[in-house]
């Protein structure tokens, strides 16, 4: 799941790269402030309304399962990055080495 945060209508209209995010998640959600005109959010996308204290899901996004090969590649990339960060946090000298 990817949550794209939009703070204003101008932010939503000015940024169209979110359409390519659909290829990297089973569902795409928009999190917007409570005064945001909800009709602007595409129907196939989930909708969250947020304020400084929390958020509520108003509708779920359409499920579009990832291609299994892409899911595997993304999972492995995430695991490698997480392992490298953990390794560097446990051994600060490791950041000088090309371990991963």
């Amino acid at each position: 799941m990817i949550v794209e945060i939009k703070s204003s209508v101008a932010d939503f209209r000015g940024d169209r790269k979110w359409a390519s995010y659909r290829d990297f998640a089973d569902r795409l959600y928009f999190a917007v402030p409570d005064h945001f005109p909800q009709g602007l959010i595409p129907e196939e996308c989930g909708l969250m309304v947020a304020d400084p204290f929390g958020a509520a899901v108003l509708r779920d996004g359409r499920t579009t399962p990832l291609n299994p090969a892409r899911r595997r590649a993304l999972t492995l990339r995430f695991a490698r990055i997480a392992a490298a960060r953990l390794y560097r946090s446990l051994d600060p000298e490791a950041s000088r080495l090309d371990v991963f």
Side-chain angles (χ1 to χ4, degrees), residues 23-35:
D23 295 337
F24 295 92
D26 294 322
R27 288 187 184 188
L28 175 63
Y29 285 80
F30 281 94
V32 297
D34 57 356
H35 62 274

Side-chain angles (χ1 to χ4, degrees), residues 8-60:
S8 66
V9 173
D11 182 19
F12 177 78
R13 289 187 174 147
D15 176 15
R16 290 296 179 182
K17 67 183 178 288
W18 58 264
S20 65
Y21 298 168
R22 291 178 182 157
D23 295 337
F24 295 92
D26 294 322
R27 288 187 184 188
L28 175 63
Y29 285 80
F30 281 94
V32 297
D34 57 356
H35 62 274
F36 192 94
Q38 298 172 8
L40 291 177
I41 305 298
E43 285 295 319
E44 68 271 11
C45 298
L47 177 61
M48 298 178 182
V49 174
D51 65 20
F53 304 103
V57 176
L58 298 188
R59 78 170 179 248
D60 286 320

Side-chain angles (χ1 to χ4, degrees), residues 57-91:
V57 176
L58 298 188
R59 78 170 179 248
D60 286 320
R62 184 181 307 150
T63 301
T64 53
L66 280 176
N67 173 295
R70 175 165 281 173
R71 182 181 305 279
R72 182 178 186 279
L74 289 172
T75 301
L76 287 173
R77 182 169 184 233
F78 176 81
R80 286 184 180 119
I81 291 169
R85 287 180 181 174
L86 177 61
Y87 186 76
R88 284 191 303 271
S89 74
L90 296 174
D91 184 2

